[in-house]
Amino acid sequence: MTNLPLTLTPPAESVHRGFPGCGSDSEPRDAFDALMARLRNESVPFTVLWELTHVCNLDCIMCYNVKQNQPELSTEEAMDVLEQLAEAGTLRLILTGGEILTRRDFFAIAERARALGFALDLKTNGSLLTPASADRIAALEPVLVEISLLGATTETFDAIAQSQDTLRRVLRGIRLLTERGVRVKLNSLLMDLNFAEREQMFELARELGTEYEQAIKISLADDGSDRAGDHQLSRGQITDTLVTYQAPFVPVTQSPTRRTCKVGLSSCLISPYGVVYPCVELRIPAGDLRRRRFAEIWANAPILQNMRLNHVFGNLPECRVCPINSYCEGRCAGLAWKEHGDAYGGHTLACQHAQARFAQQHPGQPVPETPLQARFRFERQSGQPVVERQPVMLVDL
């Protein structure tokens, strides 16, 4: 690992090894949590994740973006989208890519966003940062800048990013931001290629003085293809990680009205082409901003209305009868939809994650099979699909 000068160690609570899924839920802890709960109940689009571009100078093996054969939003169109989001009540705007710094008009868009009062989060790979661009990012006063830490050695980082000299360039970018007082968070997606370096990456984040979080979910690509599935951690590796780091967890008692994720309630995704989706994983189009106003799409799109009204635990046929559903924290409607076309189904990684949690909590005990795994096993053994499931009785909240 590159030798680095030690900086201030971040607070313990800013360096996470909890490995939660995006569906993790909790009771409001403070006034902000209570406000967010109210905004979700009122379906206010508080947070928008906007992929400004699918162009990137890296070609990471686990990237889920799929470039389309159409022009991305122009500067003029992007400025109009900002106005629409402000009118709709969006407060938190997350700008991501691809790589945001490959857009020549990135700073024009970001500066206009700040002028409109958005709380700005930025996601960048950090490798293109220069002193000048770091100055401009600092001037934006972003709430947070997130950068991926894909390995602790040059060889590993380059293998995952499919680039050259990547770690050095990313570390330079991180330092340029932290030296200017920008709050930086590093994220590591654990996979078989960097699994052996997970402790080194953890220590590297401490040395850099940044916030840090490790994750285990490799997403299918936006078109459902599996670019990096061979590199997903095995259930044994996930269990080993949870046990080794004593990742905290409390089993959850499921109820019919509990949500496994907050899709469609207070956030959504905008693609570089102006298409609105419920979230970064669930790529069922809600509407096209080149044809309809954002507020109309947010209020009336069938997929958003469906997710708001019906996406509760009681409407998940396999999950609600799963013997280890109280250990499930990472079920994702989008990944279920990508894997087998059913946003109300389970998905393989969530099942493995739940089994790993069960194994962590009950060492030495047999790990139960989930209904989804049993169905897939039956299909493989019989060579034919199981009997059609009965129509799901949807529960309105």
Side-chain angles (χ1 to χ4, degrees):
M1 185 171 66
T2 305
N3 291 323
L4 298 169
L6 288 176
T7 59
L8 283 176
T9 300
E13 62 272 16
S14 70
V15 184
H16 299 294
R17 275 180 171 140
F19 309 101
C22 66
S24 300
D25 203 0
S26 61
E27 294 297 320
R29 296 182 301 274
D30 53 29
F32 179 78
D33 287 339
L35 171 63
M36 292 305 300
R38 180 172 67 81
L39 293 175
R40 287 193 294 271
N41 290 335
E42 296 175 1
S43 298
V44 176
F46 178 86
T47 301
V48 170
L49 176 66
W50 186 357
E51 294 173 340
L52 287 179
T53 181
H54 280 167
V55 176
C56 189
N57 61 309
L58 304 181
D59 187 23
C60 298
I61 61 172
M62 71 292 181
C63 182
Y64 49 77
N65 290 156
V66 176
K67 295 180 183 178
Q68 300 181 21
N69 188 27
Q70 60 175 298
E72 298 181 344
L73 293 175
S74 66
T75 304
E76 182 180 2
E77 288 173 321
M79 296 300 186
D80 182 55
V81 169
L82 288 174
E83 299 287 344
Q84 292 185 49
L85 295 179
E87 292 173 4
T90 300
L91 295 177
R92 183 186 180 208
L93 184 61
I94 306 170
L95 300 180
T96 183
E99 172 48 51
I100 55 178
L101 293 179
T102 63
R103 275 197 71 133
R104 294 183 179 180
D105 60 356
F106 164 70
F107 282 106
I109 295 170
E111 287 163 2
R112 180 55 182 160
R114 287 294 293 124
L116 287 170
F118 292 107
L120 205 58
D121 287 11
L122 306 177
K123 292 178 180 285
T124 173
N125 64 46
S127 67
L128 296 180
L129 283 164
T130 64
S133 60
D135 285 341
R136 296 190 72 177
I137 286 178
L140 292 170
E141 297 182 323
V143 175
L144 185 67
V145 175
E146 296 189 59
I147 297 175
S148 292
L149 182 64
L150 302 178
T153 64
T154 296
E155 295 75 18
T156 297
F157 212 122
D158 285 352
I160 296 174
Q162 299 190 86
S163 182
Q164 298 295 317
D165 195 28
T166 324
L167 178 59
R168 182 192 63 81
R169 291 184 286 136
V170 170
L171 293 180
R172 177 196 61 191
I174 294 168
R175 291 195 190 95
L176 286 172
L177 294 177
T178 57
E179 288 168 357
R180 288 159 175 77
V182 176
R183 180 185 169 202
V184 175
K185 179 185 176 186
L186 304 183
N187 299 306
S188 292
L189 176 59
L190 297 184
M191 58 189 86
D192 64 353
L193 295 173
N194 62 14
F195 186 67
E197 297 179 7
R198 62 193 192 279
E199 185 64 28
Q200 289 173 278
M201 290 188 289
F202 185 86
E203 292 304 325
L204 180 54
R206 282 191 177 277
E207 292 172 4
L208 289 165
T210 65
E211 298 179 33
Y212 181 58
E213 189 165 67
Q214 293 178 342
I216 60 174
K217 181 183 75 174
I218 295 180
S219 298
L220 297 175
D222 295 342
D223 60 2
S225 60
D226 194 359
R227 290 187 60 188
D230 290 344
H231 299 294
Q232 175 66 55
L233 296 184
S234 67
R235 193 185 82 191
Q237 289 173 316
I238 297 173
T239 302
D240 175 71
T241 302
L242 298 179
V243 171
T244 299
Y245 297 125
Q246 299 181 347
F249 176 73
V250 177
V252 176
T253 301
Q254 304 289 4
S255 66
T257 58
R258 183 177 183 271
R259 292 184 177 272
T260 64
C261 74
K262 304 177 182 70
V263 59
L265 296 183
S266 63
S267 63
C268 64
L269 169 78
I270 299 175
S271 80
Y273 317 100
V275 179
V276 178
Y277 296 99
C279 75
V280 70
E281 297 288 8
L282 189 59
R283 299 271 175 160
I284 299 176
D288 187 342
L289 291 172
R290 284 173 164 147
R291 295 185 176 91
R292 298 169 62 194
R293 301 287 292 177
F294 175 80
E296 179 190 353
I297 294 171
W298 177 258
N300 301 319
I303 182 59
L304 290 173
Q305 292 183 331
N306 185 300
M307 290 291 106
R308 287 172 197 148
L309 292 174
N310 302 317
H311 196 261
V312 292
F313 193 75
N315 289 333
L316 310 180
E318 290 174 324
C319 298
R320 69 189 180 202
V321 298
C322 179
I324 55 172
N325 58 33
S326 61
Y327 297 88
C328 186
E329 58 184 333
R331 185 204 163 269
C332 171
L335 287 184
W337 175 72
K338 287 179 180 179
E339 185 174 71
H340 51 83
D342 183 4
Y344 290 87
H347 61 89
T348 301
L349 182 57
C351 294
Q352 292 176 332
H353 195 168
Q355 289 173 320
R357 280 297 190 189
F358 181 91
Q360 176 200 15
Q361 299 292 310
H362 305 281
Q365 292 190 22
V367 177
E369 183 179 51
T370 71
L372 180 69
Q373 291 170 332
R375 176 162 66 91
F376 284 173
R377 176 173 52 79
F378 178 87
E379 291 176 351
R380 287 193 300 269
Q381 292 174 350
S382 66
Q384 59 183 7
V386 295
V387 178
E388 290 288 332
R389 284 176 286 171
Q390 295 298 312
V392 178
M393 298 300 294
L394 298 179
V395 178
D396 290 335
L397 293 182

